[in-house]
Amino acid sequence: MEDQGDIENEGGGGGIGVMIMENGKDLERNISAVSESGVRQPLLSSKSRVNNTSQIAIIGANVCPIESLDYEIIENDLFKQDWRSRKKVQIFQYIFLKWTLVLLIGLSVGLVGFFLNIAVENIAGFKLLLISDLMLQDKYFRGFAAYACCNLVLATCAGILCAFIAPAAAGSGIPEVKAYLNGIDAHSILAPSTLFVKIFGSALGVSAGFVVGKEGPMVHTGACIANLLGQGGSRKYHLTWKWLKYFKNDRDRRDLITCGAAAGVAAAFRAPVGGVLFALEEVASWWRSALLWRTFFSTAVVAMVLRSFIVFCRSGKCGLFGQGGLIMFDVNSGAPNYNTIDVLAVLLIGVLGGLLGSLYNYLVDKVLRTYSIINERGPAFKVLLVMTISILSSLCSYCLPWFATCTPCPVGLEDKCPTIGRSGNYKNFQCPAGHYNDLASLFMNTNDDAIRNLFSSDNSSEFHLSSLFVFFAGVYCLGVVTYGIAIPSGLFIPVILAGASYGRFVGTVLGSISNLNNGLFALLGAASFLGGTMRMTVSICVILLELTDDLLMLPLVMLVLLVSKTVADCFNKGVYDQIVKMKGLPYLEAHAEPYMRQLVAGDVCSGPLITFSGVEKVGNIIHALKFTRHNGFPVIDAPPFSDAPEFCGLALRSHLLVLLKGKKFTKLSVLSGSSILRSFHAFDFAKPGSGKGPKLEDLSFTDEEMEMYVDLHPVTNTSPYTVVETMSLAKAAILFRQLGLRHLCVVPKKTTGRDPIVGILTRHDFMPEHIKGLYPHLVHHK
């Protein structure tokens, strides 16, 4: 088993220097050995997919290769020369541009969030008004045909966009963003095409009547916008100003994408503080105080943008949008006064949320595995699956209200009941004049309006127990079967709908013996189900309080979240953690596994290594790059350049390719670093944006050049992170994650008579699948 086999085989494994040429075939056999042992097959278990241990994963609805990100600062001679040459004005430009980009992220995400809301409210609103007019004319069958056809057309358009243009846009995107911030990159995960499909696909999918939300996709959208703004320029579009190039690295991109994800939550829920806490608690693997300040600034900008547009839309210039604002749910009906029975009811709701949430996660797991078999057949089958679920959703939402009884309108609400020609909570449906259908008020509405109706505290007897139960069962099941199809789909709204349903059910059952109204019970039910599925506490608590503008409910919301999370943790992990694992993303947890404490770093390193000399023959480098996919190669200085073999540092594949492309070779094995420093600039080795960097197959060399030498010292990171071979593997894993590393060099405890480096630890080496292949008896030992 090769020790650096992580994603794209990130380290090296072979001999030193010229031994690479002699062992080319052995290298190919060693790489194959990595594929044959310790393979994890989450959703990649069919014969048509081969998962070479953390090298491919499911992104959106497609399988694609993945690799690690370089969050470490590469301190080579070129970097040091560039840093020393920077003037104060350039440093000021960098800082100013960073804040400018954060401002642009907030403005852009706010505009997209407003566009999504106005699009959904108008598209879905006009569709529902059309159905309502047909129902008033007693054209019930024609009403269903129009309803189903509208939904089917919208759903098919969303499915085609997602299946054919950007498969990475399927799902909520939060697992992919979470994995990216953990150090995992994949093709098109944050590409412009993904952003385009995420925005328009989400608007079409939510308008199509699916039990999905636009809140999860907004997190992915915010990350895509941040990535696009932080690309650092593009030669293709002639955006290569020098001051943009400062952001051509993974570290700055990571900070911007964290701001984008937080801004996405702020735009989805109008919850700026909740957005910051969501990024901190759920998606970010690395945090610092400066990032907290910039993230808060971006969410504040989003809040101001949304507030400005809401004031504008209240004048009626936004069509059907603007009456209720951006999903602000009003449950504030005075100071809540709760007694012992209320606290016991809250505990019961928390337990229910934990049990139902863990079951929800289990069912989503099974559905995703089933859908993966269908999705792998091709884009046409993805669209067909979308159409099938659309028809099923239309049948449920249109037919189930027929089983509900008509309820007379409350006295004094004759002007609001029944609701005709506008959004509201008293839908007439098939009922006679002066009556409303409570189940239709939930099913035949936009998801945001349905939540407003459930959170409403105006009429405690507005919904029958049977209607609440039927709606809960329908939303629960539809939410499970809808997530995983090839459309942008979020989990927040289905979970809030289901939780609010059983929360209001409990409040209705308690009736007069409770001091809390049904709207507050619906809020607590939503909180419990969110805690049971997503296992977040602080961020969910703040988001719900910002949504409802009811700070007095803080103690009860905290209690119900703690209970639901504790109960659900007894059964399985949070839904996003499960999806990350199912997709095959090699996510590094914040804690080390127990069995890692029984191993040391040297136990998972198996050599010999592929290393380069400080001045290496061009042919050796090309052969190593050709027959391996490693991304990091140790550089060792040997006589005559040093008294004894010593570890010089680490050279990256991308830097070696740029160096080879420049062809600054010498005929003799001599140091030529000064010439290379004059010929190259640090920006030449910067990571490309959405474009492609140099590839080995694009380079050509003559036989004479293959026998020449190149000095690797200028591009060698002379201060890579290293650990001694006797360090606990658990300690090494925590260090690897907290520092955001791609390579962790392992050096010997005693150097006498040994090579100066033992091996390289990469993300792959900390995966249970890799360790299981080496020590199968330890992985299952607790």
Side-chain angles (χ1 to χ4, degrees):
M1 176 72 75
E2 290 293 326
D3 84 296
Q4 295 92 357
D6 186 13
I7 302 159
E8 292 291 328
N9 291 319
E10 307 218 359
I16 297 179
V18 73
M19 291 177 63
I20 300 171
M21 299 293 291
E22 300 171 356
N23 296 333
K25 295 182 179 179
D26 292 334
L27 284 174
E28 290 179 287
R29 286 196 295 268
N30 289 340
I31 293 169
S32 299
V34 176
S35 306
E36 294 169 1
S37 59
V39 176
R40 173 173 58 179
Q41 296 178 340
L43 290 182
L44 309 171
S45 56
S46 66
K47 293 181 180 180
S48 61
R49 297 172 175 176
V50 180
N51 185 4
N52 294 328
T53 314
S54 308
Q55 293 183 33
I56 61 173
I58 296 178
I59 304 299
N62 256 21
V63 177
C64 64
I66 54 178
E67 63 176 51
S68 284
L69 296 166
D70 288 310
Y71 288 151
E72 179 185 358
I73 296 177
I74 308 301
E75 294 183 345
N76 53 34
D77 292 343
L78 284 163
F79 170 83
K80 295 174 183 177
Q81 176 180 266
D82 173 66
W83 187 254
R84 286 192 298 264
S85 64
R86 286 191 185 184
K87 301 177 181 179
K88 288 186 178 180
V89 65
Q90 292 175 311
I91 297 174
F92 175 78
Q93 284 178 347
Y94 169 73
I95 296 173
F96 176 78
L97 181 60
K98 184 179 290 186
W99 283 98
T100 303
L101 289 177
V102 172
L103 173 65
L104 291 175
I105 289 170
L107 291 172
S108 303
V109 174
L111 289 172
V112 171
F114 172 75
F115 166 77
L116 272 178
N117 277 276
I118 198 173
V120 170
E121 292 290 331
N122 280 285
I123 296 173
F126 283 121
K127 176 190 70 176
L128 293 172
L129 287 178
L130 172 64
I131 310 308
S132 176
D133 291 341
L134 292 173
M135 296 288 288
L136 290 174
Q137 301 172 27
D138 295 336
K139 298 177 180 179
Y140 302 125
F141 181 77
R142 186 178 296 180
F144 171 71
Y147 181 68
C149 287
C150 289
N151 286 343
L152 188 61
V153 171
L154 293 170
T156 304
C157 292
I160 290 173
L161 284 174
C162 203
F164 289 94
I165 298 178
S172 70
I174 292 179
E176 284 81 359
V177 174
K178 184 174 181 177
Y180 185 93
L181 295 178
N182 190 253
I184 304 167
D185 195 11
H187 177 68
S188 296
I189 189 173
L190 299 172
S193 60
T194 303
L195 172 62
F196 171 81
V197 174
K198 206 75 180 184
I199 295 173
F200 290 96
S202 182
L204 293 170
V206 176
S207 303
F210 285 117
V211 184
V212 297
K214 53 188 179 295
E215 288 68 27
M218 271 304 302
V219 176
H220 195 181
T221 299
C224 290
I225 291 173
N227 181 68
L228 186 63
L229 291 174
Q231 287 290 345
S234 170
R235 290 188 178 90
K236 180 179 180 182
Y237 298 106
H238 305 290
L239 297 174
T240 53
W241 298 304
K242 185 176 181 180
W243 49 279
L244 270 178
K245 295 180 179 179
Y246 293 137
F247 293 90
K248 279 185 172 288
N249 63 83
D250 290 329
R251 289 174 62 87
D252 286 319
R253 255 180 243 176
R254 172 185 60 185
D255 290 355
L256 292 175
I257 288 169
T258 303
C259 293
V265 175
F269 292 111
R270 269 181 68 191
V273 180
V276 175
L277 294 175
F278 178 86
L280 171 61
E281 184 177 7
E282 181 62 19
V283 296
S285 297
W286 186 86
W287 199 263
R288 70 179 191 275
S289 58
L291 180 59
L292 175 67
W293 174 222
R294 282 196 293 272
T295 305
F296 182 71
F297 176 67
S298 68
T299 59
V301 172
V302 170
M304 289 187 289
V305 170
L306 294 179
R307 179 67 179 174
S308 302
F309 278 108
I310 289 174
V311 172
F312 172 77
C313 286
R314 283 177 180 167
S315 60
K317 298 178 181 180
C318 300
L320 298 177
F321 175 79
Q323 298 300 320
L326 267 149
I327 58 170
M328 179 65 77
F329 309 125
D330 183 16
V331 298
N332 194 352
S333 58
N337 182 23
Y338 41 88
N339 53 31
T340 304
I341 295 177
D342 294 326
V343 174
L344 293 176
V346 169
L347 293 175
L348 173 63
I349 290 175
V351 173
L352 280 175
L355 294 174
L356 293 171
S358 58
L359 176 62
Y360 191 88
N361 293 357
Y362 172 81
L363 295 175
V364 166
D365 178 285
K366 298 302 180 184
V367 168
L368 280 175
R369 294 179 185 278
T370 303
Y371 286 174
S372 69
I373 300 173
I374 301 173
N375 289 337
E376 71 180 2
R377 294 179 177 271
F381 284 87
K382 296 177 186 177
V383 176
L384 186 61
L385 178 60
V386 171
M387 296 171 68
T388 303
I389 300 300
S390 174
I391 295 173
L392 176 64
S393 300
S394 299
L395 282 170
C396 290
S397 56
Y398 190 89
C399 296
L400 288 177
W402 286 89
F403 296 97
T405 58
C406 294
T407 306
C409 291
V411 178
L413 293 177
E414 289 78 7
D415 56 331
K416 296 182 179 179
C417 178
T419 301
I420 298 175
R422 57 182 172 81
S423 62
N425 53 346
Y426 295 105
K427 291 293 182 182
N428 181 260
F429 204 59
Q430 90 290 7
C431 295
H435 292 70
Y436 72 96
N437 187 315
D438 59 343
L439 196 53
S441 300
L442 298 175
F443 272 119
M444 299 299 292
N445 243 326
T446 62
N447 291 332
D448 291 350
D449 280 337
I451 296 174
R452 287 192 188 95
N453 295 344
L454 288 170
F455 281 4
S456 173
S457 56
D458 295 337
N459 184 2
S460 59
S461 58
E462 180 179 349
F463 300 102
H464 297 97
L465 288 175
S466 57
S467 298
L468 290 172
F469 179 79
V470 170
F471 182 71
F472 164 73
V475 167
Y476 192 94
C477 296
L478 287 175
V480 169
V481 300
T482 303
Y483 192 82
I485 61 176
I487 63 167
S489 53
L491 283 172
F492 272 98
I493 291 300
V495 170
I496 291 176
L497 280 171
S501 301
Y502 70 72
R504 193 172 181 104
F505 184 94
V506 172
T508 305
V509 170
L510 292 178
S512 59
I513 64 174
S514 171
N515 291 335
L516 299 177
N517 61 58
N518 292 351
L520 296 179
F521 273 110
L523 170 64
L524 294 173
S528 71
F529 203 22
L530 284 167
T533 53
M534 301 179 184
R535 313 297 161 84
M536 292 180 282
T537 52
V538 180
S539 57
I540 293 296
C541 181
V542 174
I543 287 173
L544 286 175
L545 293 178
E546 288 185 285
L547 268 178
T548 57
D549 193 23
D550 193 358
L551 189 60
L552 298 175
M553 287 295 292
L554 177 62
L556 293 182
V557 174
M558 291 174 63
L559 176 63
V560 79
L561 280 169
L562 290 171
V563 172
S564 62
K565 181 184 182 331
T566 302
V567 172
D569 281 340
C570 298
F571 299 96
N572 49 34
K573 290 187 176 182
V575 63
Y576 295 131
D577 293 324
Q578 281 193 175
I579 294 172
V580 165
K581 185 177 180 180
M582 283 187 292
K583 287 175 173 287
L585 296 165
Y587 187 86
L588 287 176
E589 298 289 348
H591 61 276
E593 296 294 338
Y595 58 79
M596 289 185 178
R597 303 194 180 278
Q598 304 180 47
L599 300 171
V600 296
D603 290 336
V604 295
C605 290
S606 53
L609 285 168
I610 296 180
T611 64
F612 294 135
S613 299
V615 180
E616 185 59 84
K617 185 178 289 187
V618 174
N620 291 350
I621 299 174
I622 293 173
H623 194 85
L625 296 177
K626 181 179 180 181
F627 286 102
T628 71
R629 292 183 297 168
H630 305 323
N631 278 291
F633 299 89
V635 176
I636 295 178
D637 272 339
F641 302 108
S642 62
D643 296 334
E646 62 179 30
F647 178 48
C648 181
L650 201 69
L652 298 181
R653 168 184 283 265
S654 59
H655 292 180
L656 291 173
L657 289 172
V658 175
L659 187 62
L660 291 173
K661 184 179 180 181
K663 295 188 176 182
K664 297 299 178 182
F665 308 146
T666 58
K667 292 184 178 181
L668 300 177
S669 178
V670 294
L671 295 174
S672 58
S674 57
S675 173
I676 293 175
L677 289 175
R678 288 193 301 268
S679 304
F680 290 96
H681 192 275
F683 290 136
D684 296 327
F685 296 86
K687 183 174 182 177
S690 56
K692 297 179 180 178
K695 292 185 177 181
L696 183 63
E697 51 267 27
D698 298 331
L699 306 180
S700 59
F701 302 93
T702 64
D703 292 339
E704 181 182 0
E705 289 173 332
M706 295 286 281
E707 296 299 321
M708 297 178 75
Y709 294 86
V710 61
D711 189 356
L712 302 182
H713 291 97
V715 299
T716 299
N717 180 10
T718 54
S719 56
Y721 286 97
T722 59
V723 296
V724 70
E725 61 182 338
T726 55
M727 174 183 274
S728 163
L729 188 62
K731 269 188 176 182
I734 294 173
L735 177 71
F736 191 94
R737 184 187 189 273
Q738 289 182 346
L739 294 176
L741 302 180
R742 187 174 188 175
H743 306 98
L744 183 60
C745 300
V746 182
V747 297
K749 187 175 184 180
K750 296 181 180 180
T751 58
T752 306
R754 299 183 62 185
D755 290 334
I757 181 169
V758 175
I760 299 178
L761 292 176
T762 59
R763 184 175 295 267
H764 161 76
D765 297 300
F766 299 105
M767 292 296 108
E769 297 73 28
H770 171 68
I771 300 175
K772 181 180 178 181
L774 299 175
Y775 308 98
H777 62 287
L778 286 180
V779 175
H780 300 290
H781 176 72
K782 299 292 183 183

